[in-house]
Structures are given as C-alpha cells and as structure tokens.
Amino acid sequence: MTDLNARAEALRALHSGEMLVLPNVWDAASAEILAEAGFPAIATASAAVSAMLGYPDGEGAPWREMFAAASRVARAVSLPVTVDAEAGYGLGPREFVDRLLETGAVGCNLEDTDHRTGKLVDPDEHAERLADIRSAATEAGVPIVVNARVDTFLGDRGIPEPERVAEAIRRGRLYREAGADCVYPIGVRRRDDLAALVTGLACPVNGNVGEELDLAALRELGVARVSYGPRFYFAALEGFRAAIEKR
C-alpha cells in the first residue's frame, strides 16, 4: 500500500505542472515502450484493450479480463498506471476500488454513459457514485486519481451541439465537487469549445489531440492532461497489415 500511495500521489502531482501527455497503451509491451521513452505515467485505452481481447468497446469485455490486462500493464513498469475503466462495469464502489488496486493501478477513467442504454446517466447520480468511490478509496488507504469523463460531446448521447459546452461544464463541476481529480470532456474538436471548458471548469482538464488541437494548442489553452485513446493500437495494426501485404 505504501508503494501504491506513492504512485497515486505522483500521478496526482503530474496534473498540476507541465502538461501530462499519455499515449494510451493496451498491453505490457506497449507500456514498456512508453516507460523506456521516458513518459512519467502509463494510461490504458479501453477501446484498444477490449479490441485486443476480441470484444467491442463500451463494456463489451468482461471486467475481469479488462482488469487482468491492466494488471499485466502495471507489472511491466515501475510507473503510476491509470486504467480506462469505462463506466465501472456495474461494480459497487468498494469492490471497484479493491479490484482496481489489485491490478497495481492507482488511477482510473470513469465515464458518465450507461452502456446498457447508450444514454448519459443522471449527473447527480453519477456524482454520488464518484463520491462513493472517493470514500471507498480513502477507506482502502490509497488516494486513487479519478479522471471523470464527460460524454456530452459524443454525438449519439442526445445533447444538441449548442448545449454541449454548458452541459459539460455543469456535469464536470458536479464531478469535481464529488472528488474527481480531473475532468475529461471527450470528443471536443473545436478550440473555442475547449477554451470555454478549461475556463468554466477551473480544474485540471483532459483533452484530445485533433485537427484544431495539436499538443502546442492544448498546452496554450491550459489543458492539464492529453489522451490519445486507441489511436496507436490501430496504427500498430495498420503497420502490421502493411508489412504482411508486402511479404
């Protein structure tokens, strides 16, 4: 627990200095590549891990298999690991925290989509769940780092485009008050939208690289953390495909 505590505190501290860039991994080998390259922390991508395991994203893979994959990642490196835990797999707060810590990870993404319906969950209910997870982590003795994903910018979640920024800020503030360390409005593509979110949330914000949002732009906007999702996993597959076709 002492080692997990140190890693959790180290991961949290990385959200308040130089922008934390996290090219997401899917297995031990990809995690080792990042560690050797000097990255200070490791983050998994659920879409990449589930695809590697042969399941669709969106909690299509059994949680035990997802956490087993996370455990292999954490064993491979001596760095803080944060797990894309989707919506938490329906686990109760204490069981979720215990299973997460068993993998050796000290952080997690938790999104506000109900994958049974494909709809956004009630933000007050989700905030209560985040608060319960924070309390469970305190009871377990490890201050896990919670990255609260806000899914209002995903087009199939039913939020009209003109309302997405305001709704993301409303939800993100609730999640922050509930104990989230960082807010992740996934799917933001426009610079102006992200600027409004960083200002309105007034807390560490996770951004994504896109056409208008390269690393320099994200840094200029004050983004604390950058994710790539399954991008590098699919690029690796394309490289493999290209090599096979040239055989």
Side-chain angles (χ1 to χ4, degrees):
M1 284 299 182
T2 300
D3 186 47
L4 291 177
N5 264 290
R7 293 189 186 194
E9 294 295 354
L11 179 59
R12 180 170 288 102
L14 289 169
H15 289 72
S16 58
E18 177 67 16
M19 186 172 70
L20 175 60
V21 180
L22 295 171
N24 301 78
V25 308
W26 55 94
D27 63 5
S30 54
E32 288 172 343
I33 288 171
L34 288 193
E36 291 167 2
F39 285 87
I42 304 295
T44 68
S46 67
V49 175
S50 58
M52 176 194 67
L53 294 171
Y55 297 96
D57 192 22
E59 299 196 341
W63 69 264
R64 287 181 176 82
E65 292 194 41
M66 296 294 284
F67 277 18
S71 180
R72 292 190 289 273
V73 167
R75 278 202 310 270
V77 296
S78 57
L79 294 170
V81 172
T82 179
V83 172
D84 183 352
E86 305 184 83
Y89 307 108
L91 300 173
R94 185 56 195 263
E95 183 177 10
F96 174 80
V97 169
D98 288 346
R99 300 293 84 78
L100 179 72
L101 294 177
E102 283 175 1
T103 70
V106 293
C108 62
N109 281 13
L110 287 168
E111 57 206 44
D112 59 359
T113 291
D114 182 344
H115 290 289
R116 296 167 299 179
T117 65
K119 306 289 187 182
L120 292 172
V121 299
D122 178 86
D124 292 302
E125 292 179 4
H126 191 62
E128 183 176 352
R129 175 168 168 77
L130 291 176
D132 290 343
I133 287 172
R134 172 58 63 208
S135 295
T138 300
E139 292 173 3
V142 179
I144 64 171
V145 177
V146 177
N147 191 29
R149 205 182 89 176
V150 180
D151 289 356
T152 59
F153 281 84
L154 299 181
D156 59 352
R157 299 300 193 267
I159 305 298
E161 189 169 346
E163 301 174 14
R164 290 175 184 173
V165 170
E167 181 62 11
I169 291 173
R170 183 175 81 91
R171 287 173 175 263
R173 286 176 176 173
L174 286 171
Y175 304 161
R176 175 71 169 170
E177 291 168 3
D181 298 280
C182 186
V183 175
Y184 180 13
I186 191 173
V188 179
R189 293 182 173 84
R190 293 200 292 260
R191 182 186 179 101
D192 289 348
D193 288 343
L194 187 56
L197 288 162
V198 170
T199 299
L201 289 166
C203 72
V205 171
N206 191 143
N208 295 117
V209 173
E211 290 183 8
E212 290 188 28
L213 299 167
D214 59 13
L215 287 177
L218 293 171
R219 187 174 287 108
E220 182 181 340
L221 290 171
V223 165
R225 168 173 168 164
V226 180
S227 299
Y228 287 80
R231 177 179 306 189
F232 293 110
Y233 169 75
F234 291 124
L237 289 184
E238 283 305 311
F240 181 56
R241 185 191 307 277
I244 292 300
E245 289 174 350
K246 290 178 181 179
R247 73 192 189 283

